[in-house]
Amino acid sequence: MALLLRTLGRQSVCLAKPQYSVLYRHVAPMGSTAKEEMNKFWDKNSRLNRPMSPHITIYKWSVPMMMSITHRGTGVGLSGAISAFAVAALVLPGSYPYYLDLIHSLSIGPFLTGLAKFGIAFPVSYHTYNGIRHLGWDMGKGFKIPEVYRTGYTVIGLSVITSIALLMI
Amino acid sequence: MAAVIRLSSVCRRGIKPLFYQSTLLVRPLAVPHKHQEQPYLLTARIHSSQNLQASSNSKAASLHWTAERMLSVLLLAMGPVAYFNPGPVIDYSLAAALTLHGHWGLGQVLTDYVHGDTKIKMANAALFLLSTITFTGLCYFNYNDVGICKAVALLWSK
């Protein structure tokens, strides 16, 4: 029965039409949620002390893969930076302009200042543009592989351009 | 069942001989009961996602997903507002939106990589503490110092 449904689905047969309801008239749903199933997987495998199969170490990296983990990386990094800033605000005695002047007095030089600004601007830009790309996916758009690559390269290009533009102002 | 016969006509690529064997096995049997009027079909267990609410009728996860996306859109809109209309209102709104977006985002990261009931609970507690401290710090900064918008402007003017 499952084989039948899978085969028909693979042929892009619309199973929702009334004439196909005969195929699942007598099906019964599983009694557990996805979360429960996932927990069972982890419980069993960690109990048996099984090693994890190689995955990211052996699978060929692709641009979409790298962009996805970069999105996560920039997100975690930016979150960490915001939290660090918040803790500093609570802990450090002086005011913000005081510390800015302190850094300014160190005469870091334009190149390193530019680098630092790029280090802030790029993660923000990339995460924002790729976030918009994600929202497109959430609306069901842009899933075809050429579209994934096209939007992906657009995000990278826009991020670089925006970051450099932000450096200039 | 008639569907099995339909299977062979529908499939253009051709089925391996093995499949024929298994479909014959899968064909529901008309169970021979002496006084049965109608043969009944054996049921199959299929993961039917629509009926999953039979075990848990909670829409919590789905609503959380939607809330995450709505917050993302809101945060996106706050960018231009912060640039053109800086001030305390947008400062506190940004503090809240940024903290919550980060909290939910890190929550997803934890869900992906942390496994085991105790570890999950501890990680989520630590995250909650971090987010609380972050929001407190940002509000403190907004109240006692120049505020988020002014801070970004000052930083960039250097």
Side-chain angles (χ1 to χ4, degrees):
Chain A
M1 173 61 78
L3 162 70
L4 179 57
L5 284 173
R6 280 203 311 274
T7 309
L8 287 175
R10 213 173 291 134
Q11 306 293 329
S12 303
V13 174
C14 177
L15 292 163
K17 290 199 191 131
Q19 63 260 41
Y20 288 102
S21 64
V22 66
L23 294 176
Y24 43 84
R25 200 160 50 190
H26 300 283
V27 305
M30 284 175 68
S32 57
T33 64
K35 211 171 181 184
E36 289 164 11
E37 292 292 318
M38 289 193 280
N39 283 336
K40 272 157 58 180
F41 170 88
W42 284 104
D43 285 339
K44 174 176 177 179
N45 284 288
S46 43
R47 187 175 28 94
L48 294 169
N49 263 324
R50 286 179 175 164
M52 185 170 286
S53 304
H55 48 299
I56 53 180
T57 45
I58 54 166
Y59 200 85
K60 180 172 177 167
W61 279 93
S62 62
V63 170
M65 275 170 80
M66 290 196 263
M67 288 190 69
S68 177
I69 192 61
T70 308
H71 188 77
R72 180 159 273 190
T74 50
V76 174
L78 287 169
S79 223
I82 292 175
S83 292
F85 178 81
V87 169
L90 288 169
V91 163
L92 295 177
S95 73
Y96 182 75
Y98 168 76
Y99 289 110
L100 260 191
D101 289 332
L102 199 65
I103 299 170
H104 198 58
S105 69
L106 291 174
S107 44
I108 295 176
F111 180 74
L112 282 175
T113 318
L115 204 63
K117 280 190 182 174
F118 188 84
I120 297 175
F122 185 78
V124 175
S125 308
Y126 179 87
H127 193 84
T128 306
Y129 289 125
N130 203 226
I132 296 171
R133 186 166 164 243
H134 261 283
L135 289 171
W137 290 332
D138 290 335
M139 294 191 294
K141 297 185 190 319
F143 276 109
K144 294 203 182 80
I145 294 298
E147 287 171 339
V148 170
Y149 276 86
R150 206 183 317 134
T151 51
Y153 289 131
T154 308
V155 162
I156 295 175
L158 280 176
S159 300
V160 174
I161 293 170
T162 307
S163 306
I164 295 177
L166 284 175
L167 279 189
M168 310 291 205
I169 59 170
Chain B
M1 110 160 56
V4 173
I5 300 160
R6 226 187 298 163
L7 173 69
S8 47
S9 63
V10 152
C11 184
R12 277 162 262 141
R13 288 183 215 153
I15 310 174
K16 292 188 206 128
L18 200 59
F19 273 23
Y20 276 120
Q21 308 274 35
S22 57
T23 53
L24 285 170
L25 288 170
V26 149
R27 181 193 288 150
L29 305 171
V31 181
H33 260 236
K34 292 197 174 88
H35 300 292
Q36 194 82 8
E37 301 208 340
Q38 205 184 356
Y40 58 85
L41 299 172
L42 293 173
T43 63
R45 291 204 91 79
I46 294 181
H47 198 147
S48 165
S49 48
Q50 295 147 312
N51 288 341
L52 222 71
Q53 294 180 14
S55 63
S56 145
N57 262 315
S58 171
K59 280 175 74 179
S62 170
L63 292 171
H64 179 80
W65 185 92
T66 310
E68 282 179 327
R69 318 297 130 155
M70 287 186 358
L71 179 65
S72 300
V73 174
L74 187 66
L75 192 54
L76 217 53
M78 282 190 196
V81 175
Y83 182 78
F84 292 110
N85 268 43
V89 174
I90 191 71
D91 275 342
Y92 285 98
S93 309
L94 265 177
L98 277 172
T99 317
L100 191 55
H101 183 74
H103 180 75
W104 281 347
L106 289 173
Q108 295 291 353
V109 176
L110 289 184
T111 310
D112 279 352
Y113 301 140
V114 178
H115 307 285
D117 285 326
T118 344
K119 279 194 237 171
I120 292 175
K121 254 189 221 167
M122 293 197 345
N124 277 314
L127 175 63
F128 194 84
L129 186 63
L130 179 69
S131 295
T132 311
I133 294 175
T134 305
F135 185 61
T136 312
L138 287 178
C139 287
Y140 179 87
F141 185 79
N142 281 334
Y143 191 81
N144 291 310
D145 214 317
V146 294
I148 295 178
C149 296
K150 195 79 178 108
V152 175
L154 283 175
L155 182 70
W156 228 253
S157 66
K158 292 292 177 197

